Amino acid sequence: MQIVVDLNRCQAYAQCVFLAPEVFELHGEESLMFTPAVPDGQQERVLRAAAACPVQAILVGEPAGPAAR
Ligand code: SF4
C-alpha cells in the first residue's frame, strides 16, 4: 500500500500521527514526515488515519499489479 500526503492541504492537525505514529511524524510545528510505502501491519492504522484527517490530505493507493485488475 502506498500513500501520499498533500502537504499543501495538511494543516498539521496531527490526527494521523496519533493514529499511525510509525508512518506519520511531525517535525516541529507543522512539517509532516511520512513513509510512502506503508509497512505490513500498518495498513489498518493508516486507513484510520486517512479517514480521520480533517482536511482529507492523505491519499491512499494500491500499487498496480495483477490483483488490481
Ligand atoms: S491528520 Fe491530516 S492535516 Fe493532520 S497532520 Fe495528518 S495529514 Fe496533516
Side-chain angles (χ1 to χ4, degrees):
M1 192 166 99
Q2 300 278 330
I3 53 163
V4 173
V5 178
D6 183 342
L7 294 174
N8 292 320
R9 208 183 254 211
C10 171
Q11 300 295 317
Y13 291 120
Q15 304 284 15
C16 58
V17 181
F18 289 120
L19 289 165
E22 292 188 28
V23 175
F24 303 99
E25 220 181 318
L26 266 180
H27 287 252
E29 289 284 297
E30 52 189 47
S31 102
L32 183 76
M33 310 278 290
F34 63 98
T35 307
V38 177
D40 286 346
Q42 292 293 314
Q43 270 106 335
E44 186 69 21
R45 284 169 170 270
V46 167
L47 289 176
R48 261 187 244 146
C53 176
V55 292
Q56 280 93 53
I58 303 170
L59 309 174
V60 178
E62 295 291 336
R69 263 185 259 152

